[in-house]
Amino acid sequence: MDVLIVGASAAGLSTAEALRRLGHDGRLTLLDAEPHLPYDRPPLSKQVLAGAWEPERARLRGQAQLDALEAEFVRGERAVSLDVAGRAVTTASGRVLRADAVVLATGLTPCRLPGQGGLAGVHVLRGLDDALTLRAHLTGGTRLVVVGEGVLGGEIAATARGLGLEVTLAGLGPAVLGDQLGPFVSDLLTRTHAARGVRLRLGVAVESLEGEGGRVT
Ligand SMILES: Cc1cc2nc3c(=O)[nH]c(=O)nc-3n(C[C@H](O)[C@H](O)[C@H](O)COP(=O)(O)OP(=O)(O)OC[C@H]3O[C@@H](n4cnc5c(N)ncnc54)[C@H](O)[C@@H]3O)c2cc1C
């Protein structure tokens, strides 16, 4: 039985490993739009963004572990359609991959805000390249507005503030990580951000982004 896994990150890779562990000896293909070898996302908003880690340190597995899977890694190719009946996936370059079983492990994509398209100076943080691009812009004198008072927003605000930037954190909830941590801990966290100099604009829905001369203001 041939298995094709779309998405070679934490979920896709551990599915491949579990299949091999359970004795699957058929062909195994992992397809991912990313050009990079599988990497862990948690350090992207912390050590990688702060410049404390080289990107290689965030890799999920070493080369020997990947080789031991005896899988084919197809990287840098985005799946654009799935033929369920025919068990076939077509990529953006027109390549067709067939298998007896297809696993979709494609994760999430960040929300975008009205007005975001085409404006310079706006970042999302989901992948390694996003983290490196944002990192390159986190230089002294830059004013940063982080939209989202959840886990990533809080981490990015703290990391950027640690690098000396002027940071404003805006979000819908009344406290940083309020939904996840409850009032006591989120209140403590909110006060810690404020004490470290993060300007908080909480209980605020960001409706759209505005720019001047093609650059966000
Ligand atoms: C910056 C950041 C920090 C985080 N920090 C933490 C943390 O501290 N603790 C924690 O528990 N969790 C954290 N998370 C969440 C954690 O990383 C995710 O839960 C985890 O990555 C989910 O793994 P996944 O394999 O399901 O999806 P993803 O890691 O999103 O992987 C999906 C993969 O599918 C690929 N893909 C998507 N669409 C296609 C397509 N059409 N064709 C081909 N390939 C495709 C993508 O390129 C990607 O490699 C963080 C996430 C981010 C972004």
Side-chain angles (χ1 to χ4, degrees), residues 47-67:
Q47 297 90 340
V48 173
L49 189 61
W53 283 16
E54 289 303 317
E56 294 69 39
R57 199 162 157 194
R59 276 184 51 183
L60 273 171
R61 302 287 185 272
Q63 192 58 52
Q65 290 165 299
L66 295 178
D67 291 346

Side-chain angles (χ1 to χ4, degrees), residues 113 145-157 168-173 175-177 180 193 200-202 204-206:
L113 291 171
V145 176
V146 180
V147 181
E149 82 294 15
V151 181
L152 295 193
E155 287 181 354
I156 294 164
T168 302
L169 177 61
L172 203 50
V176 179
L177 280 172
Q180 294 87 346
H193 275 288
L200 297 164
R201 295 289 178 272
L202 297 169
V204 166
V206 174

Side-chain angles (χ1 to χ4, degrees), residues 6-13 31-34 39-46 77-80 105-109 125-127 151-152 155-156:
V6 186
S9 186
L13 190 58
L31 169 71
D32 202 295
E34 287 263 0
Y39 59 84
D40 207 15
R41 290 175 203 274
L44 300 186
S45 50
K46 311 171 188 69
E77 289 255 23
R78 177 169 295 280
V80 291
T106 47
L108 301 175
T109 46
L125 180 47
R126 180 74 201 160
V151 181
L152 295 193
E155 287 181 354
I156 294 164

Side-chain angles (χ1 to χ4, degrees), residues 128-202:
L128 179 57
D129 292 334
D130 299 333
L132 297 178
T133 305
L134 177 58
R135 161 85 192 140
H137 285 87
L138 295 185
T139 48
T142 306
R143 284 177 299 151
L144 182 73
V145 176
V146 180
V147 181
E149 82 294 15
V151 181
L152 295 193
E155 287 181 354
I156 294 164
T159 302
R161 187 69 199 126
L163 292 169
L165 274 80
E166 205 180 295
V167 179
T168 302
L169 177 61
L172 203 50
V176 179
L177 280 172
D179 281 350
Q180 294 87 346
L181 298 179
F184 182 78
V185 181
S186 66
D187 182 52
L188 183 68
L189 198 55
T190 303
R191 282 189 279 119
T192 306
H193 275 288
R196 301 266 165 98
V198 174
R199 292 172 55 194
L200 297 164
R201 295 289 178 272
L202 297 169

